[in-house]
Amino acid sequence: MAKLKELWSKLWFRAVSITLAVIIVIAAVLGITVSCLWGDVISTVSSIRHLQARNDKNKEGSVYSMNVKGGFYLDKFVSRGGASSDSELIGFITSNITKGLMKVNIGESDVNCSAFTALTPDNDVLFARNYDFDKTNVCITICNSPGKGRYKSFSTVDMNYIGIDTEKDLSGLMNKITCFAAPYTPLDGMNEMGLSCSIFMSYQGEDYSLNDSGTVATDQSDPNKPNFTSTTMLRMILDYCANVDEAVELISGYNLHDSAKSSFHYMIADASGKSAILEWLPEENATDKTDNDGSARVLKVLYNTDDMYAGLRGGADFDYQWVTNFIVKDHKDYYESDEDKGGWDRYQHIYKNLYENNGVVADENAAMQILKEVGRRTWNGGGGVTVHSVVYNLTDKTVLWVANENYDKAGATYSYSFKTGKLTAV
């Protein structure tokens, strides 16, 4: 009997040992699988910080920051030919980033933004930009490890563009996982090479039956070219381009499909002081009232050195450039009057400030002051809010960023440096 008990004890111990070993192996396999599939997502989601609380009475959404781990499948997105619509982009994001567990929505917007380049007395090149909209949550999105051959970047994302409710704070694991899609929807940004880019409404076309906003989205259809949407174009510039020339070359090889049923134009600038406004227009004889075929538009590039600016900048040594919300390249022929140009008053105000000082500003704070003067709360009677204002120092590779026009409020201003990789409240 004693021997039988001893035998059963040994068998029981062996069975338990084998079971535990199997459990450990399964757990290890699951752990490796989760790490492979979700490691970057988990790390990214864990980095989300709530920097500023919302203030509904003052039309202020929350401000978040996020450090994106890994390459977020952008190389795969490029190799597959990009996306020709928001729905295609959503499909890619859903299958690759959220692993089919949730659907990402691309929000719509009606934005009125401003930007300009300027020079400091120390010859630092600055790129300044206002993002004008309504109350919305934003996320400062920092990509520090995008992968071989790609550049680190700082960008700002309107979380409405990834379907996050603008009337609520970010909550719940699923919504936080959705934020991993934020790199695909930047509205402005700068990379570690000092190349910056930004997006602006251009309000093209006047056929109000085409969509609710009354604008006609660019929707090119060259079958020999891959495709990108508005925000994915900015992402590709930030990740793959070191200067304006490389960005224009990249963009020229793609069909553009403007996002959110809106029409946009874009501005890019680099550390050399070169900048360009990118617009998509019909080949010839286009006006605001006839530019209603988004598929017939072609890329037009207006460089800061083009003849259009001869005489406009007086004796300035620096070729500064500025933009708001109307077609700039052919604006004298495109519009019937200045009143038809979106943001013409802001455009003139920025120009006056730059002209009076030959395109030179004392520092980033002086550039921010110009942005403050054309902020949406106060400019031309007010309405809406400038969700964020940012000044990129393309020479030093630093950022000065302000939320919701709180230019003088402690804790509402942040600085970032590519040298340190730190985002700090000023």
Side-chain angles (χ1 to χ4, degrees):
M1 182 63 71
K3 290 184 177 181
L4 184 60
K5 286 184 178 180
E6 182 180 355
L7 178 60
W8 275 111
S9 178
K10 289 181 179 180
L11 291 174
W12 173 254
F13 179 78
R14 182 177 297 179
V16 170
S17 298
I18 293 173
T19 301
L20 287 174
V22 170
I23 291 173
I24 290 171
V25 170
I26 292 174
V29 170
L30 287 175
I32 293 171
T33 301
V34 169
S35 178
C36 291
L37 290 177
W38 291 95
D40 288 346
V41 175
I42 293 170
S43 177
T44 300
V45 169
S46 299
S47 76
I48 295 174
R49 298 291 181 268
H50 193 177
L51 301 180
Q52 293 182 34
R54 63 192 303 106
N55 182 342
D56 294 328
K57 291 183 178 179
N58 202 36
K59 298 181 179 179
E60 298 178 18
S62 282
V63 178
Y64 298 88
S65 68
M66 181 174 69
N67 292 302
V68 180
K69 178 70 180 298
F72 49 88
Y73 303 95
L74 184 63
D75 290 330
K76 182 178 181 180
F77 177 78
V78 173
S79 66
R80 72 187 288 274
S84 61
S85 65
D86 288 341
S87 60
E88 282 190 25
L89 175 60
I90 289 169
F92 177 82
I93 290 173
T94 301
S95 62
N96 288 276
I97 294 178
T98 68
K99 310 302 180 187
L101 294 181
M102 67 206 72
K103 184 177 180 180
V104 176
N105 296 310
I106 301 293
E108 297 182 18
S109 66
D110 187 14
V111 297
N112 296 280
C113 306
S114 309
F116 61 88
T117 57
L119 196 70
T120 72
D122 294 331
N123 292 317
D124 286 356
V125 179
L126 305 181
F127 181 93
R129 183 272 211 282
N130 272 351
Y131 174 55
D132 302 333
F133 187 37
D134 292 314
K135 181 182 68 177
T136 189
N137 299 322
V138 295
C139 184
I140 294 173
T141 304
I142 300 169
C143 300
N144 276 323
S145 55
K148 185 177 180 180
R150 290 163 58 185
Y151 299 113
K152 299 176 183 179
S153 65
F154 174 107
S155 63
T156 308
V157 173
D158 180 344
M159 298 172 79
N160 171 57
Y161 271 78
I162 54 173
I164 301 299
D165 193 338
T166 61
E167 298 300 324
K168 298 178 181 179
D169 284 335
L170 179 65
S171 63
L173 179 60
M174 293 297 100
N175 280 334
K176 290 182 178 180
I177 291 175
T178 298
C179 289
F180 194 72
Y184 286 87
T185 59
L187 296 171
D188 58 67
M190 179 176 72
N191 67 21
E192 62 180 305
M193 302 303 292
L195 176 65
S196 186
C197 53
S198 190
I199 184 171
F200 313 85
M201 286 283 290
S202 57
Y203 298 106
Q204 292 168 251
E206 200 179 2
D207 187 345
Y208 286 87
S209 66
L210 291 180
N211 55 64
D212 293 337
S213 69
T215 61
V216 181
T218 298
D219 191 24
Q220 294 179 304
S221 57
D222 186 337
N224 298 312
K225 291 182 178 181
N227 305 282
F228 50 30
T229 59
S230 302
T231 59
T232 56
M233 180 180 75
L234 265 67
R235 172 48 58 195
M236 290 171 65
I237 290 172
L238 291 174
D239 274 52
Y240 296 115
C241 301
N243 54 53
V244 168
D245 291 337
E246 289 184 9
V248 171
E249 182 180 3
L250 172 73
I251 293 165
S252 300
Y254 279 77
N255 289 317
L256 173 65
H257 306 272
D258 275 333
S259 302
K261 299 180 180 180
S262 300
S263 63
F264 300 99
H265 58 172
Y266 309 79
M267 187 171 174
I268 52 177
D270 64 31
S272 74
K274 190 170 188 175
S275 65
I277 295 170
L278 314 172
E279 299 176 326
W280 279 256
L281 295 165
E283 287 281 14
E284 57 184 354
N285 300 324
T287 69
D288 186 34
K289 293 185 178 181
T290 63
D291 183 11
N292 289 311
D293 185 356
S295 65
R297 295 175 186 158
V298 296
L299 172 63
K300 304 287 185 73
V301 182
L302 177 63
Y303 292 100
N304 59 327
T305 55
D306 282 1
D307 291 342
M308 171 188 159
Y309 294 106
L312 285 178
R313 290 186 293 244
D317 293 327
F318 178 67
D319 295 326
Y320 57 89
Q321 197 172 27
W322 62 107
V323 67
T324 54
N325 301 111
F326 62 89
I327 295 299
V328 182
K329 185 171 179 59
D330 297 318
H331 71 99
K332 292 182 179 179
D333 299 320
Y334 192 81
Y335 300 98
E336 292 183 357
S337 69
D338 291 342
E339 294 178 355
D340 296 327
K341 301 172 185 176
W344 173 252
D345 51 354
R346 285 179 283 114
Y347 183 89
Q348 290 295 98
H349 183 84
I350 293 170
Y351 168 57
K352 178 183 178 182
N353 275 270
L354 296 173
Y355 180 83
E356 289 177 349
N357 297 286
N358 291 319
V360 177
V361 297
D363 52 24
E364 287 91 337
N365 289 317
M368 188 68 76
Q369 176 62 32
I370 297 175
L371 294 177
K372 177 180 178 180
E373 291 171 8
V374 293
R376 193 167 179 180
R377 290 192 194 279
T378 56
W379 183 259
N380 198 24
V385 62
T386 295
V387 176
H388 77 271
S389 302
V390 60
V391 179
Y392 297 107
N393 187 317
L394 308 185
T395 305
D396 285 348
K397 285 75 174 178
T398 57
V399 182
L400 184 66
W401 191 97
V402 178
N404 297 307
E405 299 187 60
N406 290 312
Y407 303 101
D408 304 314
K409 181 180 177 181
T413 300
Y414 293 84
S415 66
Y416 179 79
S417 169
F418 278 97
K419 293 178 184 178
T420 65
K422 293 182 179 180
L423 180 69
T424 307
V426 177

